[in-house]
Amino acid sequence: MKKLIALLTIAGIMTFGLNSIVLAQDAAQSAQTTVGMQSDDAAQTTFHETIKEKFIEGGPEFMGIVLLTLIFGLAIAIERIIYLTLSATNTKKLLAEIDGALKSGGIEKAKDICRETRGPVASIFYQGLLRYDQGVDEVEKSIVAYGSVITGRLESGVSWISLFIALAPMLGFMGTVIGMIQAFDDIAAAGDISPQIVATGIKVALLTTVFGLIVAMILQIFYNYIISKIDSLVNDMEDTSISFMDMINKYAKK
């Protein structure tokens, strides 16, 4: 289910991105045919149209790659957010239900409660209850071991977001270097240092840098939110596991 959601998200974002590129190309061609328009008409250009126009001016080679880092980074971030949101559990209610189940129906009824409850906390408790016959110590070991597995699942894919955060500005800086090289090549070919000659190369250099930094900042916001969400879930799991073990110890002493 998670992979399906991720694929659908990627497909939707890529479709939107490609559509934006096509629209941007149309806007750029249209802008070239309307160079002689009055300044008041130019002032009516929307922010979205300006972004698309600057994207095309920055050059498809590096701007397209930077856009791909944004697309894939957002796809992973959205998938993680959905997964983490679905992983949240009302732990107080779950503990109360398990406590009542232990008092009224024993371990088997507590297992049923955990099976019917969604989320990693219930899964951890279920793994512990499966080993109750082996002793309370084995229950605790199982909870610790399976908790580490669940934590790894929660953090899955987060490293890719951090990779895209680092990659986007580096690609922008690479575009800057190539743009400056292009500007110096134009100067050498013309034998003159005039603003008109170097303007194109410098514009490419600045635009790729700006877009790379924007992409990194957007993904950084999502990354920090995901990390805080993971920390909250892990802390909740640890606190709840302590209360769960107290219940098991009390039940075992009866």
Side-chain angles (χ1 to χ4, degrees), residues 5-191:
I5 293 174
L7 289 174
L8 291 175
T9 304
I10 292 172
I13 296 178
M14 289 186 70
T15 301
F16 174 77
L18 292 175
N19 184 50
S20 297
I21 293 175
V22 172
L23 291 175
Q25 290 175 340
D26 293 339
Q29 292 174 356
S30 177
Q32 291 177 356
T33 61
T34 57
V35 175
M37 292 182 65
Q38 296 180 349
S39 59
D40 58 341
D41 292 333
Q44 296 177 0
T45 303
T46 64
F47 177 77
H48 186 224
E49 291 172 346
T50 302
I51 292 294
K52 291 188 292 186
E53 182 181 348
K54 296 301 180 184
F55 181 89
I56 296 300
E57 290 177 355
E61 298 85 1
F62 284 95
M63 298 294 278
I65 299 175
V66 173
L67 178 62
L68 285 177
T69 62
L70 176 62
I71 290 173
F72 286 111
L74 285 178
I76 296 173
I78 292 172
E79 186 274 333
R80 283 291 88 192
I81 291 173
I82 294 173
Y83 177 78
L84 294 174
T85 301
L86 294 176
S87 298
T89 305
N90 188 338
T91 53
K92 292 183 179 180
K93 180 180 178 182
L94 177 61
L95 285 173
E97 291 177 351
I98 292 175
D99 189 29
L102 290 173
K103 292 177 181 178
S104 61
I107 296 296
E108 292 302 321
K109 189 170 182 180
K111 288 181 182 178
D112 293 336
I113 295 295
C114 293
R115 275 196 297 264
E116 295 169 359
T117 304
R118 183 188 65 194
V121 175
S123 299
I124 292 172
F125 292 169
Y126 181 74
Q127 293 297 321
L129 292 172
L130 286 177
R131 291 159 179 79
Y132 179 79
D133 294 338
Q134 302 174 18
V136 176
D137 290 338
E138 290 299 320
V139 173
E140 185 174 0
K141 291 179 182 178
S142 177
I143 289 176
V144 172
Y146 197 69
S148 299
V149 174
I150 292 296
T151 301
R153 291 179 184 176
L154 295 176
E155 296 174 348
S156 175
V158 176
S159 60
W160 286 102
I161 302 176
S162 62
L163 171 64
F164 293 135
I165 291 172
L167 196 59
M170 285 193 290
L171 289 171
F173 293 145
M174 184 180 293
T176 299
V177 173
I178 291 178
M180 296 305 296
I181 292 173
Q182 178 184 340
F184 283 111
D185 286 342
D186 293 338
I187 293 172

Side-chain angles (χ1 to χ4, degrees), residues 80 84 151 153-156 158 225-237:
R80 283 291 88 192
L84 294 174
T151 301
R153 291 179 184 176
L154 295 176
E155 296 174 348
S156 175
V158 176
Y225 174 78
I226 291 170
I227 292 298
S228 65
K229 193 80 172 176
I230 292 173
D231 290 341
S232 176
L233 288 172
V234 171
N235 291 334
D236 198 22
M237 284 191 297

